Amino acid sequence: MKTTFFTLLAILFLISCKKESQQLTIAGQTISGRVQYQEDGEILKLKSGKFNYEIPHSKLPYKKVVLLNSSLIGYFTELGLEDNIIGVSSPEYIYSEKIKNGIKNGNIADVGNEQKYDVEKILALKPDAVFTNYISTFGNTYELLKKNGIEIIFLDEYLENDPLGKSKYLLVFGRLFGKEKKSGAKFQEIKKSYDSLKSLVKNETKPVVISNEMYGGQWFMPGGKTAFAKLLEDAGAAYILKGNLEEKAIPMSFEEVFVKAENARFWMNAGNHRNKNSLLSINPNYAKMKVFQNGKIYAVTAREQGKSNDYFESGVVRADLILKDYIRIFHPHLLPNYSLTYLKELK
């Protein structure tokens, strides 16, 4: 009975999204099932998840904004909008040199971290808007900012299950910052590159792949309907959870992964470890796995500085470059002259 209920709920949700998408594509832009915008007279109507915004054209383009998530910075660097950022949180996690220099010279303020934001400092900056992923525990902070006239726009790109869907958020920022032409060209460039790379692997044998690592006694493996699983499919790989229908990470025991990884040749996104011994310090049982003994293991450390990692910054936008890394790893003969951008092999 419960299964039937959730199936019906899912169908109704899809129908709702489809109707909403059809309505919003009139004189507007559909980014994904979660995010759309349309023009309505002198108002820009933006929908992002459960949030709806009506932004007067008179307030656009935005000139100065605060970012509370470093994952959104990639969109600003891709569009050359770094100078529009006047405040950021957790600067130690920011990879962009231009933004780090802005913080050093005082042009960009540090407004706190994921434990506590400095609301007074944000209010004093008087930003046109604050951009962030929605985190329910910060509900009171969000309400306080809204009561003081600050527009808070929630964009949860990490929930997208299509890599190019994340890249397409460029169009949202392009509209809000008066960079429509540039954002459109950038997205088409990324999409063309992605589609071209994807076509390379059509006739290739698919190696078995596992991902991530254990944390707190469980192995959190990306579900079969996540953006990561889609990347592996497009890169010509056979992900061990390919048939799974989850859009989130799935907690598994070591024993479960051990059995499923029997024929795995590659272990991808193994945290930020520097070598295989570092992995063993987390769980010595890794040494029993064939992929650890005879396969290849890659971590996302090629562009890491301190606590910052460009895989989670520009990599959010450049789905084509991440795909290119995976194809170079799984099918090296297809891209013999390409050097990895984000991933690095553990020895």
Side-chain angles (χ1 to χ4, degrees), residues 300-337:
V300 291
T301 55
R303 303 189 73 173
E304 186 178 57
Q305 295 179 0
K307 293 183 178 180
S308 68
N309 191 322
D310 202 30
Y311 178 86
F312 302 106
E313 197 165 298
S314 73
V316 175
V317 185
R318 295 304 303 267
D320 59 325
L321 293 182
I322 293 181
L323 180 65
K324 199 170 187 179
D325 270 15
Y326 290 159
I327 291 175
R328 177 65 178 84
I329 291 168
F330 304 145
H331 310 287
H333 61 284
L334 296 177
L335 298 168
N337 300 316

Side-chain angles (χ1 to χ4, degrees), residues 263-324:
N263 299 314
R265 288 175 49 200
F266 296 96
W267 180 349
M268 305 304 298
N269 294 31
N272 62 345
H273 296 280
R274 297 295 176 179
N275 51 58
K276 294 171 75 172
N277 284 335
S278 176
L279 264 177
L280 291 179
S281 69
I282 300 298
N283 191 333
N285 287 325
Y286 288 150
K288 300 176 183 178
M289 302 177 72
K290 289 182 180 179
V291 68
F292 185 91
Q293 299 167 4
N294 306 312
K296 289 181 175 291
I297 305 174
Y298 289 84
V300 291
T301 55
R303 303 189 73 173
E304 186 178 57
Q305 295 179 0
K307 293 183 178 180
S308 68
N309 191 322
D310 202 30
Y311 178 86
F312 302 106
E313 197 165 298
S314 73
V316 175
V317 185
R318 295 304 303 267
D320 59 325
L321 293 182
I322 293 181
L323 180 65
K324 199 170 187 179

Side-chain angles (χ1 to χ4, degrees), residues 158-336:
Y158 69 95
L159 293 175
E160 297 294 340
N161 57 17
D162 182 344
L164 284 175
K166 296 184 181 185
S167 302
K168 200 172 183 181
Y169 277 51
L170 281 167
L171 303 185
V172 177
F173 290 103
R175 177 64 187 90
L176 295 175
F177 290 85
K179 297 283 186 179
E180 292 97 326
K181 187 174 181 180
K182 185 173 184 177
S183 64
K186 282 284 186 181
F187 174 67
Q188 288 304 320
E189 177 186 319
I190 293 169
K191 185 177 185 303
K192 182 179 179 181
S193 172
Y194 190 100
D195 291 341
S196 177
L197 288 163
K198 179 181 172 180
S199 69
L200 292 176
V201 304
K202 286 189 298 184
N203 301 315
E204 297 296 319
T205 301
K206 297 181 177 183
V208 178
V209 177
I210 66 169
S211 177
N212 291 15
E213 61 175 322
M214 297 200 72
Y215 180 78
Q218 292 184 307
W219 198 317
F220 289 88
M221 198 73 67
K225 291 296 182 180
T226 58
F228 174 79
K230 181 72 165 68
L231 275 164
L232 291 187
E233 179 184 353
D234 292 344
Y239 182 40
I240 63 167
L241 294 185
K242 180 181 178 181
N244 180 272
L245 301 179
E246 291 288 345
E247 296 182 0
K248 60 181 184 299
I250 302 168
M252 301 174 67
S253 68
F254 173 81
E255 290 74 20
E256 287 178 294
V257 177
F258 183 83
V259 172
K260 287 182 175 293
E262 171 69 18
N263 299 314
R265 288 175 49 200
F266 296 96
W267 180 349
M268 305 304 298
N269 294 31
N272 62 345
H273 296 280
R274 297 295 176 179
N275 51 58
K276 294 171 75 172
N277 284 335
S278 176
L279 264 177
L280 291 179
S281 69
I282 300 298
N283 191 333
N285 287 325
Y286 288 150
K288 300 176 183 178
M289 302 177 72
K290 289 182 180 179
V291 68
F292 185 91
Q293 299 167 4
N294 306 312
K296 289 181 175 291
I297 305 174
Y298 289 84
V300 291
T301 55
R303 303 189 73 173
E304 186 178 57
Q305 295 179 0
K307 293 183 178 180
S308 68
N309 191 322
D310 202 30
Y311 178 86
F312 302 106
E313 197 165 298
S314 73
V316 175
V317 185
R318 295 304 303 267
D320 59 325
L321 293 182
I322 293 181
L323 180 65
K324 199 170 187 179
D325 270 15
Y326 290 159
I327 291 175
R328 177 65 178 84
I329 291 168
F330 304 145
H331 310 287
H333 61 284
L334 296 177
L335 298 168

